[in-house]
Amino acid sequence: MPEKLIFEISKKGKKGYSLPPLDIPERDGLIPAHFLRNKDLGLLEVSEPEVIRHFINLSSMNHHVDKGFYPLGSCTMKYNPKVNEEIASWFCFTHIHPFQDEETVQGALRLMDELGRDLCEIGGMDRVTLQPAAGAHGELTGLLVMRAYHKLRGNPRRKVIITDSAHGTNPASIHLAGYEGVEIKSNPQGLVDLDALRGVMDEDVAAFMITNPNTLGLFETQILEVARVVHDAGALLYMDGANLNALMGIVRPGDMGFDVVHFNLHKTFSTPHGGGGPGSGPVGVKEHLAEFLPVPLIKQRTLEPRSKPARPGISEEMNRSPASRYYLDYELPNSIGRMHSFFGNFGVLVKAYVYIKMLGGKGLKRVAENALINANYVMEKLKSCYHLPYPGPCMHEFVLSAVKQKEMGVKALDVAKRLLDFDVHAPTVYFPLIVPEALMIEPTETEGKESLDHFIQAMEQIAGEAERRPEVVHNAPHTTPMKRLDEVRAARWLNVSYLE
Ligand SMILES: *Cc1c(COP(=O)(O)O)cnc(C)c1O
């Protein structure tokens, strides 16, 4: 039975708390009468167990990564170590204020500076801004940086090239940055078609924006040649770094010829996401673009050696450390300006910092290696029952097509819904657009063989059902609190208020 609304549980007179009687005299009239409410506020009245059970029940009605496998391709929905949350919730991080004097938040500035350096190392870049709040926001930042670069050289140019497998945020960001998006077709292997790229490159192209591995889960093997073609035309190469989970510690965007890359901290660097954030999409650039980054940049200034004796109450490390101070540098005349208030989403930065420091370089490389082996294992097992349009080996994800099942009346959407009956979140469906009936599967490195095998077995069973009992798949899910939703109605009926 679906959980009742809390409004329906509420009963007049119920309380979720009890306080001792007042032991001081009560005083009226502290607030002038005309400020007082003259009607009851109409708050809910429920007991403590009722409110706890209500929200616990709601939390378990939905699928989430702490509950089960979540192979949502292109999203890197990996399990997030709880220690990240624990440390990000420490008083020293949650109770500082962005208006505090630089001197009093040296630790927070150092954390952000070190995170920026680590991201530069991982991405092969020279400078990073931590301001953007998401991948798409990072794309916009990167595009504005590239625009400022071209503008300073006399012509901002008009066009940005993308491939037909590009994530939907890419054309949207291009448009927002005032550019015209030009799409080129992928070649039959699912990679950048070099001839098509050469065909569109001209003096009016500001940049080529691609993700590597691309959204088909394939590594762009000709990336060095791609970089040459782009740079020969005076354009820049942008990497949508959402798929960095496949590359970390193995190969660096900067070494592949990219000038700009954004990082999705909420994907690769382990922050829970979905449901609207918060996220973080830092942007790394090569030296020639650093002067255009958003202000302020965090920098380090070396001070005169300390003359005073060691101060008591200060850690020995601080007393001994060379006298240097972090500060915020606003003196960037060519900066594109601010992209976010203060420092971006600081809590997400703390989690990424902890994650990177805990794993270290070797650990991050193992993350990528395990993401690759998990995806290839599942792909090999499933390619006999579902069509695999671009044969592997794949990187951290792969795309199947339910075209065989569609002939029997079972669509990709039906397969996705049926998976919910096996306690598995649906994969991404109908993306990338160039694959009909696409099922985009990304297991991530955090899954063990048991959960991969459970998923494989569920997918095999569904393929069998599509042949013999298609109605079972067609009417799925059968075991979830809500059955199939009317998706068209959800888009048309926008007023969801309870009183309606
Ligand atoms: C997720 C994703 C994005 C957008 O990132 P958000 O953080 O969701 O804005 C862009 N490109 C690719 C390939 C992605 O997977």
Side-chain angles (χ1 to χ4, degrees):
M1 197 186 64
E3 181 72 10
K4 281 184 182 168
L5 294 175
I6 194 152
F7 296 90
E8 295 165 335
I9 301 171
S10 171
K11 250 202 202 125
K12 191 122 200 73
K14 285 206 181 187
K15 275 189 179 169
Y17 65 93
S18 59
L19 296 175
L22 203 61
D23 60 357
I24 51 166
E26 219 170 306
R27 260 184 71 184
D28 271 340
L30 283 176
I31 302 172
H34 63 277
F35 284 137
L36 290 176
R37 194 189 321 280
N38 49 25
K39 266 204 321 236
D40 190 19
L41 186 54
L43 290 179
L44 302 166
E45 295 175 87
V46 282
S47 69
E48 179 174 328
E50 278 172 337
V51 78
I52 293 291
R53 285 178 189 157
H54 175 68
F55 286 107
I56 293 287
N57 287 343
L58 283 185
S59 76
S60 60
M61 279 169 75
N62 227 341
H63 194 85
H64 49 93
V65 77
D66 286 351
K67 192 173 163 187
F69 187 42
Y70 211 128
L72 191 66
S74 196
C75 289
T76 310
M77 283 282 187
K78 52 169 132 180
Y79 173 82
N80 307 290
K82 295 293 170 255
V83 65
N84 300 351
E85 294 296 326
E86 170 67 26
I87 293 177
S89 70
W90 283 355
F91 190 84
C92 57
F93 293 126
T94 55
H95 280 65
I96 46 178
H97 194 281
F99 279 148
Q100 262 176 254
D101 190 77
E102 272 166 28
E103 270 305 304
T104 68
V105 287
Q106 285 292 308
L109 295 179
R110 175 172 164 189
L111 182 147
M112 289 186 281
D113 184 62
E114 279 187 26
L115 174 62
R117 286 168 198 271
D118 288 347
L119 292 175
C120 279
E121 177 60 33
I122 293 165
M125 293 287 144
D126 296 315
R127 262 269 167 206
V128 146
T129 171
L130 302 174
Q131 278 181 28
H137 198 199
E139 292 169 22
L140 178 62
T141 305
L143 283 157
L144 292 176
V145 163
M146 295 193 291
R147 190 183 185 89
Y149 167 87
H150 285 301
K151 204 168 161 207
L152 195 71
R153 270 153 195 75
N155 177 7
R157 304 190 169 200
R158 269 191 325 112
K159 296 182 285 189
V160 174
I161 314 296
I162 47 172
T163 68
D164 56 3
S165 61
H167 192 270
T169 50
N170 295 179
S173 305
I174 290 169
H175 188 73
L176 267 182
Y179 282 117
E180 179 194 328
V182 176
E183 187 179 293
I184 55 168
K185 282 209 179 323
S186 307
N187 69 16
Q189 291 77 45
L191 302 176
V192 171
D193 186 327
L194 271 173
D195 289 331
L197 180 64
R198 287 195 190 97
V200 292
M201 286 310 296
D202 61 28
E203 298 279 284
D204 242 355
V205 173
F208 181 33
M209 193 174 188
I210 47 170
T211 177
N212 195 15
N214 63 28
T215 62
L216 295 165
L218 304 173
F219 187 79
E220 294 285 354
T221 45
Q222 324 162 81
I223 192 64
L224 294 176
E225 185 56 25
V226 167
R228 203 162 322 157
V229 171
V230 170
H231 289 145
D232 281 351
L236 297 166
L237 192 57
Y238 182 100
M239 172 146 146
D240 173 337
N243 293 337
L244 208 65
N245 220 49
L247 304 180
M248 277 191 299
I250 299 175
V251 64
R252 309 191 309 167
D255 299 337
M256 291 189 267
F258 286 96
D259 303 284
V260 190
V261 58
H262 81 252
F263 306 84
N264 296 58
L265 298 188
H266 47 289
K267 292 180 179 174
T268 320
F269 299 98
S270 176
T271 270
H273 66 116
S280 179
V283 173
V285 297
K286 289 275 185 64
E287 197 55 55
H288 55 283
L289 296 173
E291 60 177 310
F292 308 104
L293 285 176
V295 278
L297 287 177
I298 297 169
K299 293 203 175 152
Q300 222 175 333
R301 162 191 300 135
T302 309
L303 302 178
E304 294 299 307
R306 282 218 179 87
S307 48
K308 288 187 196 149
R311 283 178 290 171
I314 299 231
S315 77
E316 212 182 303
E317 189 205 338
M318 264 188 97
N319 265 327
R320 265 191 292 111
S321 67
S324 77
R325 280 290 175 264
Y326 293 94
Y327 69 101
L328 299 171
D329 186 3
Y330 288 88
E331 302 304 316
L332 250 74
N334 293 325
S335 162
I336 58 166
R338 265 196 179 281
M339 291 301 289
H340 196 287
S341 52
F342 308 120
F343 306 102
N345 284 329
F346 181 66
V348 182
L349 305 181
V350 177
K351 288 178 225 181
Y353 177 86
V354 175
Y355 183 72
I356 291 171
K357 294 297 184 198
M358 298 252 296
L359 284 169
K362 285 202 187 102
L364 292 177
K365 183 170 181 218
R366 277 182 60 82
V367 164
E369 289 168 346
N370 285 329
L372 301 195
I373 201 150
N374 278 1
N376 278 282
Y377 174 70
V378 179
M379 183 191 73
E380 280 302 314
K381 292 280 187 182
L382 290 181
K383 69 182 188 190
S384 55
C385 33
Y386 295 86
H387 176 53
L388 178 66
Y390 297 97
C394 66
M395 296 294 282
H396 65 310
E397 62 190 348
F398 60 95
V399 182
L400 295 175
S401 164
V403 279
K404 280 197 262 180
Q405 286 70 27
K406 197 178 178 192
E407 283 168 21
M408 299 170 261
V410 167
K411 294 181 291 188
L413 181 71
D414 302 319
V415 176
K417 295 289 182 193
R418 180 73 175 124
L419 276 170
L420 297 173
D421 289 329
F422 296 86
D423 288 325
V424 170
H425 191 277
T428 298
V429 288
Y430 302 107
F431 177 78
L433 304 176
I434 52 175
V435 175
E437 299 301 317
L439 291 155
M440 186 188 205
I441 296 161
E442 180 183 7
T444 83
E445 75 284 358
T446 50
E447 299 300 326
K449 185 162 179 297
E450 293 75 14
S451 59
L452 300 181
D453 285 338
H454 170 71
F455 173 67
I456 291 162
Q457 189 260 321
M459 287 290 281
E460 286 169 347
Q461 182 175 327
I462 296 168
E465 287 171 349
E467 279 175 35
R468 289 181 293 279
R469 304 164 63 206
E471 71 289 350
V472 174
V473 191
H474 218 185
N475 297 325
H478 303 278
T479 56
T480 51
M482 298 301 285
K483 301 296 173 255
R484 224 179 264 211
L485 300 175
D486 182 340
E487 297 183 16
V488 179
R489 188 174 172 208
R492 300 245 166 91
W493 192 53
L494 297 177
N495 188 346
V496 291
S497 82
Y498 171 69
L499 298 173
E500 183 65 17

